[in-house]
Amino acid sequence: MKQRFFLKAFTIAFMFMLPLGLMAQTIKGKVTDTSGSALPYMNVLVKGTTTGTTTSDSGEFSLTVKSLPVTIVVSSIGFKTKEVTVTTNSFLTIAIEEGDESLGEIIITGSRTAPRSSTDSPLPIDVVGVKELLSTGQTTFDKALAFKIPSFNTVQTPVNDATSLLDPYEIRNMGPSRTLVLINGKRKNVSALLYTQDSPGRGETGTDISAIPVDAIKSIQVLRDGASAQYGSDAIAGVINIILKDDVNRGSATLRSGITSEGDGEMFGISINNGSSIGDDKGFVNYTVDFSKVGLANRPGTVSAKGEAYGGTGFGADLADVQEFLSRRPDAGNINGSPETVATKFLINGAYDLSEESTLYFNAAYVFKKVNSYANYRTPYWKVATGDLAYLQDLFPSNERGGFDGYVPTFEGVLNDFNATLGIKRRVNDWNVDSSITFGGNEQTYKVNNSHNASDGYQALSPTSFDPGGTSFNHIVGNLDVSRLLSDKVSIGMGAEFRNENFEVIAGKVSSYEGGGSDSFSGNDIKNSGIFNRYNLGGYFSLDYDVSDAFLLSGTVRGENYSDFGNTFVYKFSSRYKLSDKYTMRGSISSGFRAPSLHQIYTEKSQYSFSDGGGINIVGLVNNVSPRAKQLGIPKLTPEKSTNITVGFGGKISNNINFTVDYYKIDVEDRVIYTNQIDGNQFFLNGFDTTTSGIDFVSGISNIEIGSGKLDLNLSGNYTIENKATEDIPTISVEGNEYDVLDRSNLALMFTSRPKSKWILGANYEINKVGFAINNTYFGKTTFKQKFMSSDLRTEFTPKIITDLAVNFKASEKLTVSFNVNNLLNILPEWDFKAENAAGQAIIDDTSVISIANGGSGLTQLENEANAITFNGRYSQMTYDGSHFSQLGTMFNLSLNYQF
């Protein structure tokens, strides 16, 4: 219903805003280096305006202007900025010299003033082209970005219900909800999913960037700095700006296939990207259609029979019964790894000159994704121990001996994601005016099959298929941005934003939530369902002042008013100083804020979760405004506030060697957290203040001539200095008992479960028609302290280096064949126990055994600890909390790209 409404509104607005335009001029050309080699991803900008583009892989560009003559500015990393006056629309060939301008900034992201050359920006920004993303061989955009940006991490988890639809990601260890995602500079809607399982990103929500088709992307700009003053809430850690393709001269069709070295996880995909001009080159439209299917890849562990029988970590079942079942199913029937996924994606991007002074622009996307995954297998001795055997024999298939043999519930998720922007850019008396409206939404609904409702009144009468409902989120965003170059030294920008957000908890069928609900994933009770909304209005003012050719000062202030949180005011001040022609210093200080998401305020449900003593139980998530929350004394949520400091230094040692190094420190007050299980309940509250600091390093050596080919080298890294709470963990009193709001396990998920350091070393060599790329990504130590094990121990993932290889062969002018081997050396996640103290070391050294339920010889203490955190070996390879690289091992990918 909502999608139809937004589509209708978008269509009406489009028709209303599309009058006949006047004739415009199209500038076409090619940018090369001094040797004549094409230069891709160069910035081409009409001086004094916001009109611009970037060159394609072949160095070509097409730019529509209102009239001639105009001056265009060509700039990029490592090259001297060049201005060219264009008087006719004949094809241009522009040769650019290598130069000292190489700090890696791009001005589109992080600046709200009138445009300036890339070297004038005081902010650290990573720029990644689509060619670099494709060279990773990763099947989704978020995974490709993780192997290109050291401070960007994403976590893969084996069995985490709705998390299988999209994995958590983040910049600088700050959680997914503190990174803002933009499409062509406009806010992308967040996902409807709230991460509630025990994995990094727990208790937060983020944008589904995995849904964006890579073939629709021209480039990615990752701003590694706080930007709440420029863009509003959610930009505490940084901004990801996705620039869409605008090419009308080239189209392509890409066929992708892949498989793991184990012979599963087979992947097939096809993508078509094309573009065309509109109305005698007065505009353009570029579109992408993408279809992909990824098969199930299963990596279960070998389950411990003694652990299953021992009551501390298992089910207290008879050891002989457990051993008999595991003799037939050593993995206890578990299916964990990478789920089967089908995705269809459509995206369109375009613009049209309405007159000499105004241009209409638009983009829209729709994504459908379906995921089939599995819960933990319900073994027969598991249910025997709870007295469920009699009616389960009738509900589920029997084994070859005629007895109940367990079952594995399925989790089937369907995701629909859409976004659309319609806007007009105008030139009014030397002012650049940009007005736009953006619609976006995400809906996720679920199915549970091969399960049952064990509560009284169901049992033998229970259905085996359930509709648990789901969640949806949508927003409408209106923007007005105005900028102007007042002089050669001063530029200003100002603007306003209105945003309306809606979050819906979609009720499930009664059988999915009544009693204990559907086994493995309980549905949304109709009493907890509904539509919740809020709106906010914000405004900003920015000023850039070139004190001298070397010294730049920049500042932005912003005010916001929320319907549910009142007013907030934030600022950002930044500067850049050129020490010489080769070296530059930069820095910024800013305040930020993040309003608690509607998901965190209003979600209330029962969910299946691992219990402290082993096994699985049902806990309740209490929403922040419910009567139960008031009864428990849970305070109302308030916005987080932050302070960001960044100091950087960089330079160009020679024409082909450059580097940047940036120190950052992010302090967050009143951080919103998702608590432990407290008296059977969990909830959100403003827990405590945190600090995160670290260093980012980026360097590159380009155009090294080896034989008749050229070699590029790059090294980038992120090191976390500290990531911790800066005050004592608060307690909450429930019925006279005091509880810590976060236990050691959840504190570890928040602060130590991301790599302490991450480095990427890459090499690209091109010779004639063949290109080779090798990437080595070092994932440093991560630490977990699972609540199921002794507090005297911790677990650490062993640092690993993942090597990826890519080979490209240009078979003809139009056909390119690419072969990728991801994780070439078949490196798998590994973890070990580490002692926190002497008592922990004693556990590691102890070889004596403990008794199991039937009195037989049992487990060593360390085996028992391992069983507690791996569910008796079901997650022996990566544990339930997840890994920062794939547990699937080596993956082979082959793609064919044909250009029209």
Side-chain angles (χ1 to χ4, degrees):
M1 181 71 72
K2 292 189 292 294
Q3 294 178 17
R4 290 196 297 269
F5 168 77
F6 291 139
L7 182 61
K8 184 177 180 181
F10 182 84
T11 303
I12 293 173
F14 182 86
M15 296 301 294
F16 178 77
M17 299 176 69
L18 190 61
L20 291 175
L22 301 176
M23 293 297 292
Q25 299 290 329
T26 299
I27 304 171
K28 294 184 179 182
K30 182 176 183 178
V31 179
T32 70
D33 61 18
T34 53
S35 68
S37 298
L39 293 176
Y41 315 127
M42 298 292 291
N43 305 303
V44 182
L45 186 73
V46 178
K47 187 176 182 179
T49 74
T50 58
T51 302
T53 186
T54 57
T55 58
S56 65
D57 289 342
S58 60
E60 296 185 355
F61 68 91
S62 177
L63 193 62
T64 301
V65 298
K66 304 173 186 67
S67 62
L68 296 175
V70 297
T71 299
I72 61 173
V73 181
V74 183
S75 64
S76 189
I77 303 167
F79 294 89
K80 292 183 178 179
T81 299
K82 186 170 185 177
E83 294 188 2
V84 178
T85 300
V86 183
T87 57
T88 68
N89 56 5
S90 58
F91 191 87
L92 302 172
T93 300
I94 304 173
I96 303 294
E97 296 180 6
E98 293 184 347
D100 299 324
E101 302 164 358
S102 59
L103 284 187
E105 303 96 350
I106 290 295
I107 49 80
I108 297 175
T109 301
S111 176
R112 304 310 296 262
T113 58
R116 56 179 61 240
S117 67
S118 62
T119 56
D120 289 335
S121 172
L123 305 173
I125 299 178
D126 295 306
V127 182
V128 182
V130 65
K131 188 176 181 180
E132 296 172 87
L133 291 175
L134 292 172
S135 71
T136 66
Q138 300 292 325
T139 56
T140 58
F141 168 54
D142 58 330
K143 297 300 182 291
L145 208 58
F147 285 85
K148 283 298 178 184
I149 307 295
S151 59
F152 180 93
N153 287 301
T154 181
V155 180
Q156 296 180 313
T157 56
V159 176
N160 260 337
D161 298 331
T163 307
S164 59
L165 281 164
L166 60 151
D167 292 324
Y169 67 88
E170 60 195 335
I171 292 176
R172 289 179 168 174
N173 299 330
M174 291 301 298
S177 62
R178 294 172 193 83
T179 296
L180 177 64
V181 177
L182 307 174
I183 303 288
N184 280 357
K186 307 299 180 181
R187 179 181 287 260
K188 173 88 171 75
N189 57 281
V190 300
S191 162
L193 176 63
L194 179 70
Y195 298 111
T196 57
Q197 297 290 350
D198 290 337
S199 67
R202 180 179 181 273
E204 303 195 27
T205 190
T207 301
D208 185 9
I209 59 176
S210 67
I212 301 169
V214 174
D215 284 353
I217 299 172
K218 175 191 284 186
S219 64
I220 309 296
Q221 302 164 3
V222 180
L223 170 63
R224 296 177 278 111
D225 199 16
S228 293
Q230 293 101 318
Y231 299 106
S233 182
D234 305 339
I236 287 178
V239 178
I240 299 174
N241 190 13
I242 300 168
I243 308 301
L244 303 177
K245 286 183 178 178
D246 54 8
D247 201 333
V248 301
N249 300 315
R250 296 184 311 153
S252 66
T254 304
L255 181 67
R256 308 183 302 273
S257 63
I259 195 168
T260 73
S261 58
E262 297 291 325
D264 58 6
E266 60 276 7
M267 181 271 289
F268 172 81
I270 186 169
S271 177
I272 296 174
N273 172 265
N274 204 1
S276 62
S277 58
I278 303 174
D280 296 326
D281 291 331
K282 293 173 65 176
F284 76 92
V285 61
N286 185 282
Y287 63 86
T288 304
V289 180
D290 185 288
F291 171 80
S292 63
K293 181 176 182 180
V294 180
L296 172 70
N298 188 22
R299 299 293 183 272
T302 300
V303 175
S304 164
K306 294 177 181 179
E308 296 281 273
Y310 177 51
T313 57
F315 310 100
D318 184 80
L319 180 60
D321 290 341
V322 174
Q323 289 174 330
E324 189 281 326
F325 177 79
L326 293 179
S327 68
R328 295 180 286 109
R329 297 184 182 222
D331 55 13
N334 241 44
I335 303 173
N336 43 292
S338 177
E340 180 183 14
T341 304
V342 175
T344 300
K345 308 172 185 180
F346 172 76
L347 191 146
I348 188 170
N349 181 43
Y352 186 82
D353 288 322
L354 302 175
S355 69
E356 290 187 357
E357 300 297 332
S358 62
T359 299
L360 175 79
Y361 63 90
F362 56 90
N363 61 73
Y366 172 75
V367 175
F368 171 85
K369 187 191 300 185
K370 184 174 182 181
V371 172
N372 292 332
S373 61
Y374 299 87
N376 292 291
Y377 192 97
R378 272 56 177 165
T379 63
Y381 51 80
W382 179 345
K383 291 299 182 180
V384 169
T386 58
D388 294 334
L389 179 62
Y391 75 87
L392 291 176
Q393 290 185 114
D394 298 325
L395 287 178
F396 299 102
S398 302
N399 61 27
E400 62 274 10
R401 300 180 303 166
F404 170 65
D405 209 35
Y407 60 96
V408 56
T410 68
F411 179 86
E412 301 165 25
V414 173
L415 178 148
N416 289 275
D417 189 282
F418 67 95
N419 64 270
T421 294
L422 179 67
I424 294 179
K425 291 182 179 180
R426 302 181 184 91
R427 180 78 169 170
V428 181
N429 296 327
D430 295 328
W431 290 88
N432 302 305
V433 182
D434 183 350
S435 56
S436 66
I437 185 168
T438 297
F439 304 89
N442 182 277
E443 180 183 82
Q444 300 181 27
T445 55
Y446 314 119
K447 279 280 189 183
V448 173
N449 285 309
N450 204 44
S451 187
H452 70 110
N453 187 322
S455 64
D456 294 339
Y458 284 93
Q459 295 194 354
L461 300 176
S462 172
T464 57
S465 180
F466 299 89
D467 181 357
T471 53
S472 72
F473 175 88
N474 65 74
H475 72 192
I476 302 175
V477 185
N479 290 99
L480 175 63
D481 301 295
V482 181
S483 64
R484 181 178 178 178
L485 286 169
L486 297 181
S487 69
D488 291 340
K489 291 183 175 294
V490 179
S491 60
I492 63 172
M494 64 193 77
E497 177 178 281
F498 172 81
R499 186 164 79 251
N500 182 75
E501 298 178 336
N502 294 276
F503 175 65
E504 181 178 5
V505 178
I506 303 169
K509 297 284 183 66
V510 175
S511 60
S512 72
Y513 61 80
E514 195 169 46
S518 45
D519 183 28
S520 81
F521 189 85
S522 182
N524 295 326
D525 193 321
I526 193 171
K527 294 183 294 185
N528 302 327
S529 302
I531 300 175
F532 313 96
N533 59 32
R534 72 170 172 217
Y535 63 86
N536 78 295
L537 179 65
Y540 70 89
F541 177 81
S542 292
L543 173 68
D544 285 2
Y545 174 46
D546 288 282
V547 181
S548 67
D549 290 341
F551 188 29
L552 168 69
L553 293 174
S554 179
T556 303
V557 293
R558 186 185 191 91
E560 294 264 356
N561 177 265
Y562 277 79
S563 60
D564 50 356
F565 290 116
N567 299 318
T568 187
F569 175 83
V570 293
Y571 65 87
K572 181 167 186 174
F573 300 108
S574 54
S575 180
R576 178 228 63 218
Y577 185 75
K578 295 182 179 180
L579 299 172
S580 68
D581 291 339
K582 291 186 176 182
Y583 300 106
T584 302
M585 292 188 65
R586 62 188 177 197
S588 70
I589 181 170
S590 64
S591 62
F593 71 100
R594 188 187 75 85
S597 70
L598 294 174
H599 316 55
Q600 293 174 324
I601 301 171
Y602 294 107
T603 300
E604 180 159 318
K605 65 173 296 180
S606 296
Q607 62 183 22
Y608 284 78
S609 180
F610 282 112
S611 65
D612 289 352
I616 293 176
N617 64 0
I618 301 175
V619 297
L621 168 54
V622 179
N623 83 28
N624 189 250
V625 295
S626 68
R628 177 60 174 159
K630 185 176 181 180
Q631 181 185 30
L632 292 171
I634 301 170
K636 295 292 181 64
L637 290 172
T638 61
E640 299 175 348
K641 298 178 181 179
S642 67
T643 302
N644 290 53
I645 297 174
T646 299
V647 179
F649 175 74
K652 187 165 187 178
I653 300 172
S654 66
N655 284 341
N656 63 338
I657 303 176
N658 61 81
F659 73 93
T660 62
V661 58
D662 292 278
Y663 166 83
Y664 61 89
K665 188 175 189 293
I666 308 170
D667 294 329
V668 181
E669 298 178 15
D670 301 324
R671 189 155 169 173
V672 176
I673 62 168
Y674 181 41
T675 69
N676 313 321
Q677 297 177 29
I678 297 176
D679 196 31
N681 297 301
Q682 293 173 277
F683 40 86
F684 287 93
L685 52 76
N686 294 95
F688 43 77
D689 299 346
T690 66
T691 186
T692 303
S693 63
I695 295 175
D696 287 331
F697 177 81
V698 179
S699 66
I701 305 175
S702 60
N703 296 321
I704 304 172
E705 293 188 3
I706 299 179
S708 57
K710 288 187 177 182
L711 174 69
D712 293 341
L713 299 174
N714 59 82
L715 173 65
S716 57
N718 170 262
Y719 177 77
T720 301
I721 297 173
E722 62 178 358
N723 187 26
K724 65 181 184 179
T726 55
E727 56 184 340
D728 293 338
I729 305 304
T731 61
I732 190 168
S733 178
V734 178
E735 298 179 356
N737 297 314
E738 293 291 324
Y739 299 90
D740 289 334
V741 296
L742 285 187
D743 57 24
R744 66 182 187 278
S745 174
N746 292 322
L747 287 170
L749 286 174
M750 180 176 289
F751 296 122
T752 64
S753 62
R754 271 75 102 200
K756 178 76 173 176
S757 62
K758 180 180 171 186
W759 291 87
I760 300 173
L761 174 62
N764 299 276
Y765 181 68
E766 294 189 0
I767 179 170
N768 300 324
K769 295 183 178 182
V770 183
F772 301 91
I774 188 165
N775 223 50
N776 295 281
T777 306
Y778 171 84
F779 293 90
K781 181 180 68 176
T782 60
T783 300
F784 294 87
K785 297 181 180 179
Q786 288 88 347
K787 57 190 172 185
F788 319 118
M789 70 179 186
S790 168
S791 60
D792 299 318
L793 297 173
R794 68 180 184 275
T795 58
E796 289 183 0
F797 273 94
T798 306
K800 295 286 187 177
I801 297 176
I802 307 301
T803 302
D804 300 321
L805 174 67
V807 180
N808 299 312
F809 174 65
K810 198 169 183 62
S812 68
E813 284 298 317
K814 294 187 175 183
L815 179 64
T816 301
V817 181
S818 301
F819 178 67
N820 293 77
V821 184
N822 291 350
N823 199 349
L824 177 68
L825 303 179
N826 198 34
I827 302 298
L828 300 177
E830 294 181 1
W831 57 270
D832 290 304
F833 283 112
K834 301 292 183 180
E836 296 281 13
N837 48 40
Q841 190 60 48
I843 293 174
I844 294 174
D845 296 338
D846 189 4
T847 58
S848 61
V849 297
I850 56 177
S851 296
I852 58 176
N854 62 0
S857 177
L859 305 149
T860 66
Q861 181 62 43
L862 195 62
E863 287 175 327
N864 187 50
E865 299 289 347
N867 284 335
I869 65 171
T870 65
F871 201 176
N872 295 322
R874 286 170 175 81
Y875 308 102
S876 57
Q877 185 168 295
M878 60 183 298
T879 82
Y880 188 77
D881 305 289
S883 169
H884 289 275
F885 58 90
S886 176
Q887 74 274 25
L888 303 181
T890 302
M891 168 74 81
F892 302 98
N893 297 295
L894 178 67
S895 67
L896 304 177
N897 177 267
Y898 183 81
Q899 295 187 354
F900 304 138

